[in-house]
Amino acid sequence: MTAIDAASLTALLDGRYAGVREDVRTSLIERADFLDEVEELPRPEYRERVREMLLDVSATGLTGLGFPKEYGGGGDVGASIAAFEEMAGGDLSLLVKSGVQFGLFGGAILQLGTARHHDAYLEDVVAGRLLGCFAMTEHGHGSNVAAVATVATYDPATQEFVIETTREDAYKDYIGNAACHGELAVVFAQLVVGGEERGVHAFVVPIRVDGAPAPGVRIADDGPKMGLNGVDNGRLWFSGVRVPRTSLLNRFADVTEAGEYVSEIESAGRRFFTMLGTLVQGRVSVGGAAIRASEVALTIAVRYALRRRQFEASADAEESLLLDYGQHQRRLMPLVARTYALRFAQEVVRDDLHDVFSGVTTSEHARRELESRAAGTKALATWHATRTIQECREACGGAGYLAANRFGALKADTDVFTTFEGDNTVLLQLVAKGLLTGYSSEFEEMDQLDLVRFVAGLAVETVLERTAVHKLLERVRDVVPIAGEREPDILDADYHLAMLRFREEHMLAGVARRLQSGMKAGGEPGAVFSTVQDHVIGVARAHVERLIHEAFREKVRGLPSGPVREVLDVLCDLSALSVIEADRAWFMEHGRLSSERSKAITAEVNRLCRDLRPHARLLVDGFGVPEELLRAEDLIG
C-alpha cells in the first residue's frame, strides 16, 4: 500500500466546510489554555468561565452561522453543524452551552417563530446579549413530549397566556442555562383555548428579570452532574405566569385577538410532529460532536500505542510497541475504521439537513427520511463514542486515568449524549416506525399502538416493498447464498453490502410477521409491541448500520485512484467485516454464514488490522485534531 498524506485525509474529512472547520480549530487553539484552566475550578466558577467563553466565541461569528444574515448570522445551516462538530475538540461544557443557546433556544425561535419573534430576539441571541433556555423536558415525561403537563391557557380578556405547572412532577428539568444565566425560555406546554385542548405548543417566557426569578417563576439548580459541570442545568416551575398573546411561537398555529385558534395543519398529531421535526438539527449536532470526541480519544490512544513499549517479543530484542501487538491493533484499528465510516455517514445527514432547511429539498418524504436518518445516526454515533472513549482509556493503562490526558472529561461529558436530544432506544423506535410505514402519509399520526394496528393490516410483502432495500432483494439473494454453498470473496464490496441488506430485510419481515400474528391472536396492541420491542430496535439498528456502510462505500467509490483511495478501501473493508463479525451469531442462525466462513472473517479482520498498522499514525492525524487540544503530553510526547 502506498504511503498516504495526513493532510489529504483531513481535507477529505473536512469536505465542503474545510474553511469553517479550520476557523474553529484556530479559535480553539487560541483558547487552548481554557482546557487546563477549568480542570480544577469549583463548579460556580467553572460555570461563569464557560459563560464568559461563550460570549467570547460568539463574537467570532462561528456560533451564529446557521442564522439568517439579516440577524448577524451566516445563513448556512450546514456550516453551523460543521462548526459545532469541530467545537467538540475543545471543552464540552462550552460546546453544550453553545448548543443550548444557539441550537436549541435560538433554533426554536428561528424555526418555530415568525418575523415578530425573529425581529424581537434573534439579533441579540446571535450576539450572545440574550441568553436563553429550551424548556421542553419535564421530570415526569422525559421522552414523551406529547404528554407534558405544563399548561398554557389563553385569557381573552387580557390577551395573555397563563403558564402553569399543573402537578408535582411537571416541572421542567435538566434545562441548560436555567440555573444561572438564562433570561428567557422557550417553554413547551399544552395549549388550552376556549376550554379546548390543542396540544403542545411553544411560548417565549421570561424567567429572570434583572437577574432575579421573574414573577411566578421558581428556579432550582440540578446540582453536580457526572460531567458537563460548566453548564448550569436547572429546574423551572411556573405559577400563574402571564405572557402576551404574541409570545406564542406561531409558525404552525396561532391564537387571534378574539381568541380563535387557527392552523393550516388540521391534524393535531401532524402539527406536533411537524413542530418537533424542525428541531432535528440538535440531533444532527450531537451525533457529529460524539464522532469528534471519538477522534480526539483515538488520536491520543493510537499515538500512545506508537510510543509506549511493553514486554520483549524475543530474548535479544527491546520491548515491543503496544501497537505491534495483534490484540492492541484489534482494540483500536476497527474503531478508527468505524469512526471514518461515521464521519461520512454524518456528512450525508448534514447535507440532507442543509437541503431541507434551506429549501433546496421541499418534499415531505425527504423531511421524514431526514428525521429518521438523523435519529439513527445520532444513536449509533453516541454509542460509538461511549465505547470508543472507554476502550481508548483502557488502551492507555493507568496513565489514561489521569485528568491531564483528557479521557476523564471525554468520558464524563459525552456520556449524556446517548440520552439527550432523544434517548437512543426511543430514537431507534422512530427509525423502525419509518421502515414499517414507509414514511407514509400516516407516519406522523401514529403512536406505538397505531403502528401495531397499521402493520397488522398490511401484507408482509407490502411492508417490505415500502423500503429501499427490498428493491435489491434478488441481487441480495444472488450475492448472499446459503451457508456452505457458493462462498463469495470475503473482500467483495457487493458481498459486504448484500449481507447487511439481507439482515435488514429479513429482520423487517420478521417484525411485521410477529406484529401481525400477535394481533391475530387477540393481543392488545401495547402488549404486542412490548413483546417484539427488542426485534424493533434490532431492525432499526441493522438499517442504520447499512446506511453507514453505504455512505462509506459511496465516498470511497467517488475518489480518484491513488493512495487515499487505497487506504480508505482497506478501512471500509475492515469496517464492514467488523460489523458482520460482531453479529455473526445472527448470520449463522439464519443460514448465511458457515462456521468456516465465520472463522475466515475473523482471520481477515486480523489481517486488515495488521495491514493498517503502518498507517495508524497518519489515519488519526487525518482527523485533524490540533496538537494544542490533545493535552496528553505524558502519553504522546
Side-chain angles (χ1 to χ4, degrees):
M1 195 185 301
T2 312
I4 60 172
D5 174 48
S8 299
L9 289 174
T10 303
L12 180 66
L13 291 170
D14 285 354
R16 64 193 283 192
Y17 297 112
V20 169
R21 289 186 179 277
E22 188 57 39
D23 287 345
V24 175
R25 285 196 279 264
T26 300
S27 177
L28 291 175
I29 290 169
E30 292 171 352
R31 297 163 177 82
D33 289 347
F34 186 60
L35 288 169
D36 297 315
E37 178 189 349
V38 301
E39 191 70 61
E40 298 182 15
L41 281 180
R43 187 161 47 93
E45 286 88 338
Y46 187 11
R47 288 173 167 182
E48 287 306 311
R49 284 295 290 128
V50 168
R51 183 189 68 82
E52 293 168 7
M53 192 63 71
L54 177 72
L55 301 182
D56 183 38
V57 174
S58 67
T60 68
L62 293 170
T63 54
L65 289 171
F67 292 92
K69 292 181 180 179
E70 57 264 36
Y71 299 110
D76 192 330
V77 176
S80 72
I81 302 295
F84 187 84
E85 292 168 357
E86 202 66 43
M87 280 184 68
D91 178 74
L92 291 172
S93 282
L94 174 60
L95 175 87
V96 170
K97 195 170 182 76
S98 173
V100 169
Q101 169 68 12
F102 302 105
L104 295 178
F105 171 62
I109 292 174
L110 175 63
Q111 298 296 339
L112 300 180
T114 53
R116 69 191 188 201
H117 307 105
H118 300 166
D119 293 343
Y121 302 118
L122 284 186
E123 190 172 333
D124 287 338
V125 170
V126 172
R129 291 187 294 266
L130 175 63
L131 299 185
C133 311
F134 183 81
M136 175 184 281
T137 301
E138 291 182 0
H139 192 74
H141 286 95
S143 297
N144 189 8
V145 178
V148 296
T150 302
V151 173
T153 305
Y154 185 63
D155 181 354
T158 61
Q159 294 195 14
E160 294 174 315
F161 293 104
V162 183
I163 314 294
E164 192 77 32
T165 301
T166 60
R167 51 193 239 200
E168 188 175 342
D169 65 350
Y171 58 87
K172 300 296 181 180
D173 206 359
Y174 322 116
I175 309 302
N177 268 353
C180 300
H181 302 137
E183 299 172 57
L184 294 180
V186 172
V187 176
F188 289 79
Q190 303 286 352
L191 173 61
V192 177
V193 181
E196 186 174 354
E197 295 183 0
R198 293 291 187 170
V200 177
H201 292 65
F203 304 81
V204 179
V205 181
I207 61 170
R208 282 187 176 83
V209 178
D210 296 328
V217 176
R218 180 158 63 97
I219 302 174
D221 197 321
D222 271 318
K225 307 184 293 288
M226 285 176 62
L228 298 175
N229 281 301
V231 182
D232 53 319
N233 293 88
R235 298 167 177 171
L236 299 171
W237 289 259
F238 304 96
S239 179
V241 177
R242 288 181 171 267
V243 295
R245 180 183 63 86
T246 53
S247 294
L248 171 65
L249 293 175
N250 63 331
R251 177 180 174 185
F252 300 113
D254 206 351
V255 175
T256 67
E257 293 183 8
E260 179 187 3
Y261 180 81
V262 292
S263 176
E264 294 183 359
I265 305 174
E266 293 185 9
S267 163
R270 180 162 298 181
R271 189 164 52 245
F272 172 70
F273 281 105
T274 300
M275 179 180 68
L276 292 189
T278 64
L279 306 175
V280 71
Q281 181 172 335
R283 288 173 183 165
V284 178
S285 298
V286 169
I291 296 166
R292 189 57 172 166
S294 301
E295 291 170 355
V296 174
L298 283 165
T299 300
I300 296 170
V302 168
R303 287 182 57 176
Y304 177 69
L306 290 168
R307 183 169 181 255
R308 169 76 169 182
R309 293 184 180 275
Q310 193 157 285
F311 302 110
E312 300 87 351
S314 62
D316 57 351
E318 65 176 332
E319 290 186 306
S320 299
L321 290 170
L322 288 179
L323 204 57
D324 288 335
Y325 289 101
Q327 180 57 25
H328 214 80
Q329 296 167 8
R330 260 280 187 166
R331 299 177 77 173
L332 298 179
M333 298 315 297
L335 295 178
V336 172
R338 175 73 162 181
T339 303
Y340 270 82
L342 283 164
R343 270 294 288 269
F344 296 130
Q346 174 73 5
E347 182 179 277
V348 173
V349 178
R350 187 185 62 239
D351 289 350
D352 287 350
L353 176 81
H354 179 86
D355 289 348
V356 168
F357 278 65
S358 301
V360 176
T361 301
T362 57
S363 80
E364 285 298 302
H365 187 83
R367 184 176 62 81
R368 295 187 194 108
E369 284 196 317
L370 166 63
E371 292 169 15
S372 174
R373 188 160 192 153
T377 304
K378 181 267 181 184
L380 268 63
T382 54
W383 273 328
H384 171 74
T386 298
R387 175 193 168 201
T388 297
I389 294 166
Q390 177 64 27
E391 192 66 53
C392 288
R393 204 293 298 161
E394 292 183 27
C396 292
Y401 201 63
L402 298 178
N405 296 328
R406 290 213 65 183
F407 291 117
L410 287 171
K411 277 171 57 68
D413 291 345
T414 61
D415 193 84
V416 75
F417 285 13
T418 60
T419 50
F420 81 176
E421 284 303 308
D423 176 278
N424 284 354
T425 298
V426 176
L427 292 182
L428 288 183
Q429 290 179 191
L430 173 66
V431 174
K433 185 171 80 166
L435 292 173
L436 289 163
T437 63
Y439 310 99
S440 65
S441 58
E442 299 92 342
F443 173 75
E444 291 172 334
E445 304 282 349
M446 294 182 194
D447 59 18
Q448 291 177 356
L449 308 188
D450 293 330
L451 175 67
V452 174
R453 298 186 186 102
F454 179 81
V455 175
L458 299 175
V460 172
E461 289 71 25
T462 303
V463 174
L464 294 178
E465 285 167 3
R466 291 172 178 267
T467 69
V469 69
H470 181 73
K471 298 171 186 175
L472 299 148
L473 175 60
E474 292 306 320
R475 189 171 179 206
V476 167
R477 286 174 176 163
D478 288 341
V479 179
V480 185
I482 300 296
E485 294 182 357
R486 203 172 29 81
E487 298 282 23
D489 179 4
I490 283 180
L491 295 182
D492 182 349
D494 288 339
Y495 169 67
H496 300 159
L497 191 51
M499 287 284 277
L500 299 182
R501 284 172 173 157
F502 173 81
R503 179 180 62 167
E504 177 186 346
E505 177 152 308
H506 194 287
M507 293 180 79
L508 184 62
V511 168
R513 290 190 186 96
R514 290 182 66 191
L515 290 173
Q516 291 169 357
S517 63
M519 289 295 287
K520 287 179 182 177
E524 291 293 325
V528 171
F529 182 84
S530 181
T531 300
V532 305
Q533 195 170 15
D534 60 328
H535 205 156
V536 167
I537 300 301
V539 71
R541 188 160 193 154
H543 172 69
V544 182
E545 293 273 16
R546 192 256 300 175
L547 292 179
I548 291 170
H549 177 68
E550 281 185 335
F552 197 171
R553 180 54 63 190
E554 286 304 308
K555 176 62 79 170
V556 172
R557 284 181 172 165
L559 295 175
S561 298
V564 171
R565 177 166 178 166
E566 288 177 21
V567 77
L568 288 184
D569 253 326
V570 179
L571 270 181
C572 192
D573 288 341
L574 177 58
S575 177
L577 289 177
S578 296
V579 171
I580 295 169
E581 182 191 40
D583 206 16
R584 57 184 166 186
W586 187 93
F587 287 107
M588 294 176 78
E589 287 173 355
H590 293 83
R592 299 294 160 168
L593 200 62
S594 65
S595 58
E596 292 77 12
R597 183 71 159 184
S598 174
K599 293 174 184 177
I601 287 175
T602 295
E604 193 64 27
V605 169
N606 289 337
R607 186 189 67 79
L608 292 173
C609 288
R610 288 193 300 273
D611 286 352
L612 288 168
R613 157 66 182 88
H615 305 282
R617 173 66 187 266
L618 288 169
L619 288 170
V620 295
D621 284 353
F623 293 141
V625 183
E627 196 79 12
E628 295 86 346
L629 302 182
L630 294 174
R631 291 188 72 207
E633 288 187 30
D634 286 346
L635 292 184
I636 64 177

